[in-house]
Amino acid sequence: MTPFICVTCGTQFAPSAASPEACPICVDERQYIGAGGQRWTTLAALRATHMNAWRRHEAGLWGIGTTPGFAIAQRALLLQRPDGNILWDCVTLLDDATVDLVRALGGIRAIAISHPHYYSSMVEWAQAFGAEIWLHAGDRDHVMRPDPAIRFWSGARHDLAPGVTLINAPGHFDGGTMLHWADGAEGRGALLSGDIIQVVPDRRHVSFMRSYPNLIPLNAGTVRDIAAAVAPFSYERVYGAWWDRVVTHDGKARVAASVARYLRWIAD
Ligand SMILES: [Zn+2]
């Protein structure tokens, strides 16, 4: 029995004797199946060709991403805390080097993930570190490898640790989640947004889409609701889902300006 991995989205499936028929995550209108058709790999194969790279974004916040890029090529963030480390989002590749380095940094107590495109091999990470996985119940149907480590939370917010709040903002996915880290940016706060709020390449604006690869926008009401979900929080920085997608200054004001710009352009 092998837990197969979809090459296009990086999702690991529950162990099976033969590869699954199709990847529901990629069949969904928010993703796509590559021109070469549905392809599968395994963690063993991935370990032979790829490795993980690290960047210390700021004190207590480590980026972990796979090189060369694999699937959607997001990087995860390890939030190092005295009361137990938190992994925000996840990547498919977990290898011996990553296990040793994460253990040296204090392991992982909890994993929280913004949306199903980054569920990746979350169960492997949970098993390696004895961590709980916190997912919003709105995306329950998108879990391809169920596991007792998965805890579903519901409602608008969930306090994961003191000063660490999960925020639900439906749009890209119903269970779309962001993490507010009150102590980030030297106490001015950081929003770890995945691509629920997407930091764009100029790193001074963000945007919002139901599907990024297939260019399906969100409507005005949904974008206003996403803005309202993060409005009670203060943050200087916004950490998007890729290495270079970080708004380093005036994050809250940049998000507000970006919401106004977005609403201007989709108005009649
Ligand atoms: Zn897939």
Side-chain angles (χ1 to χ4, degrees):
M1 298 286 269
T2 304
F4 285 93
I5 293 167
C6 172
V7 170
T8 305
C9 69
T11 302
Q12 189 189 54
F13 285 61
S16 55
S19 58
E21 199 66 12
C23 172
I25 302 291
C26 286
V27 168
D28 181 275
E29 70 174 3
R30 284 161 283 200
Q31 255 285 113
Y32 60 92
I33 295 161
Q38 177 68 49
R39 290 191 296 139
W40 301 98
T41 188
T42 64
L43 207 43
L46 197 58
R47 283 170 180 149
T49 52
H50 290 67
M51 65 189 109
N52 282 336
W54 291 68
R55 174 179 290 168
R56 205 199 75 155
H57 284 286
E58 61 175 271
L61 191 70
W62 299 83
I64 309 169
T66 301
T67 181
F70 174 70
I72 299 173
Q74 76 277 9
R75 61 103 176 79
L77 291 164
L78 183 71
L79 194 48
Q80 205 179 359
R81 299 174 53 87
D83 56 355
N85 297 343
I86 294 166
L87 184 71
W88 169 247
D89 280 335
C90 197
V91 297
T92 305
L93 177 61
L94 180 63
D95 59 8
D96 290 340
T98 307
V99 171
D100 285 354
L101 290 166
V102 169
R103 282 206 183 121
L105 291 168
I108 297 171
R109 178 178 69 78
I111 300 167
I113 303 180
S114 59
H115 71 295
H117 290 155
Y118 304 152
Y119 288 175
S120 58
S121 67
M122 60 183 176
V123 172
E124 300 280 346
W125 287 74
Q127 289 176 352
F129 300 105
E132 294 180 334
I133 302 168
W134 290 90
L135 305 178
H136 194 277
D139 292 335
R140 185 190 287 268
D141 293 347
H142 298 275
V143 173
M144 296 297 130
R145 186 177 179 182
D147 191 85
I150 299 172
R151 312 263 185 275
F152 291 103
W153 64 280
S154 53
R157 290 182 204 165
H158 176 76
D159 293 324
L160 200 55
V164 178
T165 309
L166 300 180
I167 305 162
N168 176 224
H172 183 36
F173 274 84
D174 288 348
T177 299
M178 292 176 276
L179 183 152
H180 181 255
W181 177 32
D183 291 337
E186 291 89 46
R188 285 165 296 164
L191 187 66
L192 282 48
S193 68
D195 53 14
I196 304 308
I197 291 180
Q198 173 87 275
V199 175
V200 299
D202 73 6
R203 301 170 319 284
R204 298 180 66 254
H205 294 85
V206 301
S207 196
F208 314 87
M209 298 285 268
R210 172 166 170 81
S211 170
Y212 296 96
N214 302 328
L215 305 176
I216 308 172
L218 290 173
N219 64 32
T222 304
V223 170
R224 281 193 200 98
D225 288 346
I226 294 171
V230 295
F233 297 90
S234 299
Y235 50 94
E236 175 78 359
R237 296 196 183 126
V238 184
Y239 286 97
W242 290 274
W243 293 113
D244 53 349
R245 300 295 185 93
V246 180
V247 178
T248 54
H249 301 292
D250 298 323
K252 194 175 174 75
R254 300 313 313 166
V255 167
S258 302
V259 168
R261 182 175 79 170
Y262 186 102
L263 295 176
R264 230 172 20 247
W265 278 103
I266 63 165
D268 287 335

